[in-house]
Amino acid sequence: MSKRKLSRQQRWRIEKVQAERARRADRRKAKDSDKLAAGEYGPEQNGRVIAHFGRTLDVRADAGGETVRCHLRANLEGLVTGDRVIWRAAHDARDGVVVARGERASVLERPDPRGQLKPVAANIDQILIVFAVEPAPHANLIDRYLVAAEATGIAPVLVLNKIDLLPAEGGELRALLARYEALGYPVVTTTTEREGGLSALYARLAGRTSVFVGQSGVGKSSLIDRLLPDEALRIGALSEDSRKGRHTTTTARLYRFAPGEPDDAEAGELIDSPGIREFGLTHLDEQQVTEGFIEFREVLGRCRFRDCRHRQEPGCALLAAVERGEIHPERFASYRRIVESLVTS
């Protein structure tokens, strides 16, 4: 499809808006430079972005203390929650300015409405994929989260919440968890209804920066409310009719919480991001999805034909691994559904 040509008036308006933005950026840069030269800001210090609000953001110094509302130097763009920055506080300590961004150890990206990948959080050690006994989890949805996590290079951890609702024998859900544990994925079980129900979660979060993802209604906000009793998070009610939750968190924010037990050595940090019903994979291609199934990796590249699509081709190494029991047939079926969904989307 050819691009729509702009009229002369439309081009003039776009150029006018862009020129005005450039002038505002130059004014901000000059104002910051004047303040810095006049000594209105203190020395440079290291900090971390706690929350992002367009051209302003909340920063917490590595040395501790309260968060400070800062604005960005005009030449800085694309900062997200979790970024490590160099900033300077005003002498009255009411605000500050971020002057540089540090290197990112990792970045979590999500596609925007136009399908372009945009960073939403940085410097994350692990992605906690939260699911619950209710609403009932589906293996294909869990696989989608795992594939997306593998594509980021950030270690995924499965968190089964609301285990107080789990039957004593565990049933199919316990068997599903065992399948993922056999693949090497850490699995943590939690509940807010029992004493010590979060001990395993505290241990997993200690000393790490984590981000929670998962369907609405799985209890992410409830977990964070228990981890951070001083934070005012609104917890959504679970619909009795649909057994599906409602989105309750609206912006990504980094929280620091105290150790779970008095003798725990380290606290942890987590980034709470808006809940979503289904994790989008439209930004991934078929090869990335295939590589996202970690048990496939040992046999990838061994198919008879270089362009094998792993359907019914003779000499397909993946199909042979399924027949030998090295790849679970349900995982392979889940893989096929995800690949087919890329085509239909």
Side-chain angles (χ1 to χ4, degrees), residues 20-265:
E20 178 58 30
R21 288 176 177 172
R23 285 192 293 269
R24 287 201 301 266
D26 289 340
R27 289 196 295 267
R28 285 195 300 267
K29 185 175 181 180
K31 186 177 180 180
D32 288 341
S33 298
D34 291 342
K35 285 186 175 182
L36 291 169
E40 294 185 28
Y41 291 109
E44 292 184 350
Q45 54 184 314
N46 295 320
R48 195 154 188 205
V49 176
I50 304 304
H52 189 276
F53 310 98
R55 294 296 305 176
T56 63
L57 38 81
D58 286 348
V59 174
R60 182 176 61 223
D62 287 353
E66 298 294 324
T67 61
V68 177
R69 180 62 56 87
C70 296
H71 63 278
L72 299 171
R73 291 292 299 272
N75 60 339
L76 283 179
E77 296 290 345
L79 291 184
V80 295
T81 300
D83 266 325
R84 302 189 187 281
V85 296
I86 298 174
W87 67 291
R88 301 175 68 172
H91 286 302
D92 59 12
R94 289 184 300 180
D95 59 7
V97 57
V98 174
V99 298
R101 191 199 78 193
E103 291 188 11
R104 290 169 172 168
S106 62
V107 60
L108 178 63
E109 295 178 314
R110 300 280 179 85
D112 64 14
R114 295 176 297 177
Q116 301 295 317
L117 286 178
K118 299 293 183 182
V120 295
N123 299 308
I124 301 164
D125 297 312
Q126 57 186 1
I127 296 176
L128 275 68
I129 303 169
V130 184
F131 56 107
V133 178
E134 291 185 0
H138 298 285
N140 184 252
L141 181 61
I142 296 174
D143 290 337
R144 286 175 175 271
Y145 277 103
L146 289 173
V147 168
E150 293 291 344
T152 68
I154 304 171
V157 177
L158 296 177
V159 179
L160 175 61
N161 192 27
K162 307 182 184 179
I163 59 169
D164 53 288
L165 302 178
L166 193 66
E169 67 280 3
E172 295 181 1
L173 190 51
R174 285 290 186 189
L176 182 62
L177 291 179
R179 186 193 309 167
Y180 290 113
E181 287 180 309
L183 293 173
Y185 287 116
V187 175
V188 176
T189 57
T190 59
T191 178
T192 58
E193 301 299 321
R194 300 174 186 168
E195 185 71 24
L198 301 183
S199 297
L201 181 61
Y202 273 114
R204 188 70 210 183
L205 296 174
R208 299 180 176 97
T209 298
S210 310
V211 60
F212 280 26
V213 299
Q215 279 184 301
S216 295
V218 297
K220 296 188 305 295
S221 293
S222 298
L223 289 174
I224 295 172
D225 186 59
R226 288 291 298 272
L227 295 169
L228 305 162
D230 295 332
E231 298 289 343
L233 283 181
R234 182 165 57 90
I235 299 176
L238 192 66
S239 168
E240 290 294 337
D241 294 332
S242 65
R243 308 301 286 177
K244 293 181 180 180
R246 298 192 293 268
H247 301 311
T248 59
T249 316
T250 57
T251 187
R253 188 174 183 87
L254 186 146
Y255 300 92
R256 177 178 292 174
F257 54 88
E261 301 295 340
D263 57 348
D264 284 349

